[in-house]
Amino acid sequence: MAKVDLDWDNLGFAYQPISKRFVANYKDGKWEEGGLSDKANIEVNECAGIMQYCQQVFEGLKAYKTEDGRVVTFRPDQNAKRMYNSAKRIEMPPVPEEMFLRAVDEVVAANKDWIPPFESGGALYLRPYLFATGEVIGVKPADEYQFRLFGTPVGNYFKNGVKPISICVSDFDRAAPRGTGNIKAGLNYAMSLYPYILAHAKGFDENMFLDPATRTYVEETGGANFLFVTKDNTIVTPKSDSILPSITRRSLVTIAEHLGYKVETRPVKFDEVKEFAEAGVCGTAAVICPVGRVTRGDEVINIPSGMKEMGPVLTKLYKTLRGIQLCKIDAPEPGWVHEVK
């Protein structure tokens, strides 16, 4: 394949089709082997389950180039496990972990020229997803499905420096009690779009969703988990059955413990937010994005770390995780970084 001609230093976070993607179909009760395809477009019947009843789950991870020229992914086995559990929750045939990991390796290996160079700070963002292709008109699971995995080159999230965001407490709920908030399904993200647009119209960067049962406890944003730091440098992460189990958050918690920080994973009352020294949201795209201000109605909470830069504890966690992803720092446990040959 000819070398890709892109302005690596000015990549944003937008879709750019690459050369190859992985496709596998589920039919007659079993998965086919699947393989690479050069076709980016999908054709499905008008009555496909994805079109009628939103049977769809997805994942997100990245492939990086290291300083010494290797290509690596970060904990893809955890994405495979989470997608497996998400699929089971909405009655879809889970993608076997072996197939998921093979798809990651094959797509990354076939598209190495699309991975931004190390010095750019970018990555190849990978989007595995599973959706119903079988025709269904009555409310029931479909009987045919397709698993796909594509990639798109993305830039450094913090290219222009770390800028803490301002968020508001949403008047809407992201998920129902005992619902699907703890799986990575497109339907959950659709629920967050209207509140997201409302927040932007009011000048905020994101929403803080509270627990749907009592609206007392902090849950997450539309697409990221929260991290808080107390005045004595204890790291606190909210716990709830309707929070998505973020791989980035779990990795940061392990790193924090390895670095000697005390970590608490527990329900966090909104009234506690004003007592924290630092706040941030974490996920695949940014790793950690600092929060400088939280607004709920007439109440404005200014986080002590401020609106200018990320606080010192979250900065240390961010730099450590990025160092692990780029193979500059040893991971606290084996298997976190997977090299793609």
Side-chain angles (χ1 to χ4, degrees), residues 36-331:
L36 295 176
S37 170
D38 59 2
K39 295 180 180 179
N41 292 333
I42 303 168
E43 182 176 323
V44 295
N45 185 273
E46 61 188 353
C47 205
I50 179 60
M51 307 299 290
Q52 302 305 318
Y53 302 119
C54 202
Q55 271 192 289
Q56 183 262 15
V57 296
F58 71 102
E59 279 296 325
L61 65 157
K62 290 178 177 178
Y64 308 90
K65 282 184 178 174
T66 65
E67 194 168 17
D68 60 6
R70 290 178 292 154
V71 173
V72 299
T73 55
F74 181 71
R75 307 193 77 179
D77 59 315
Q78 297 303 305
N79 293 94
K81 289 179 172 64
R82 187 171 64 181
M83 190 171 186
Y84 191 99
N85 292 331
S86 294
K88 288 200 301 183
R89 175 61 178 82
I90 53 176
E91 287 298 326
M92 304 172 76
V95 175
E97 184 174 343
E98 181 277 333
M99 177 187 285
F100 185 103
L101 296 175
R102 177 166 59 88
V104 170
D105 279 3
E106 289 187 9
V107 169
V108 172
N111 295 283
K112 284 186 177 180
D113 287 343
W114 289 95
I115 304 175
F118 170 82
E119 56 271 16
S120 73
L124 184 68
Y125 180 82
L126 302 172
R127 171 55 56 85
Y129 61 114
L130 168 65
F131 60 98
T133 54
E135 297 91 345
V136 55
I137 195 66
V139 181
K140 62 179 182 178
D143 56 8
E144 295 181 7
Y145 297 83
Q146 187 170 105
F147 167 61
R148 297 177 73 96
L149 190 154
F150 69 87
T152 189
V154 297
N156 183 351
Y157 194 88
F158 290 135
K159 179 186 174 185
N160 296 317
V162 179
K163 296 180 180 179
I165 61 174
S166 176
I167 64 177
C168 63
V169 174
S170 178
D171 293 329
F172 296 87
D173 294 327
R174 172 186 163 271
R178 297 172 296 280
T180 58
N182 62 344
I183 67 170
K184 199 168 179 67
L187 55 91
N188 293 332
Y189 291 77
M191 294 287 285
S192 72
L193 295 179
Y194 180 63
Y196 178 78
I197 295 300
L198 287 181
H200 271 239
K202 296 176 182 178
F204 298 101
D205 298 293
E206 249 296 1
N207 285 294
M208 172 184 283
F209 290 102
L210 302 181
D211 76 287
T214 70
R215 297 190 58 77
T216 301
Y217 296 92
V218 175
E219 295 236 312
E220 60 177 287
T221 69
N225 284 187
F226 279 103
L227 286 174
F228 299 107
V229 182
T230 67
K231 293 172 183 176
D232 65 357
N233 289 345
T234 295
I235 294 159
V236 180
T237 67
K239 181 180 180 180
S240 165
D241 290 339
S242 54
I243 291 177
L244 181 72
S246 164
I247 295 163
T248 302
R249 177 186 55 79
R250 282 182 282 151
S251 301
L252 289 166
V253 164
T254 300
I255 288 169
E257 293 172 337
H258 186 72
L259 291 174
Y261 290 104
K262 180 182 177 183
V263 179
E264 297 176 356
T265 300
R266 58 172 176 80
V268 176
K269 288 187 175 182
F270 176 76
D271 290 345
E272 293 182 67
V273 173
K274 59 180 175 290
E275 303 297 331
F276 291 123
E278 299 178 40
V281 294
C282 59
T284 300
V287 178
I288 301 175
C289 182
V291 173
R293 183 177 297 124
V294 181
T295 299
R296 185 181 192 183
D298 295 330
E299 181 181 9
V300 178
I301 300 172
N302 292 305
I303 306 298
S305 52
M307 291 294 294
K308 291 186 178 181
E309 59 186 11
M310 192 184 296
V313 174
L314 293 184
T315 295
K316 187 170 184 178
L317 294 181
Y318 170 80
K319 288 183 176 179
T320 302
L321 182 51
R322 288 294 290 137
I324 292 169
Q325 290 174 333
L326 296 173
C327 300
K328 289 187 167 185
I329 299 173
D330 290 337

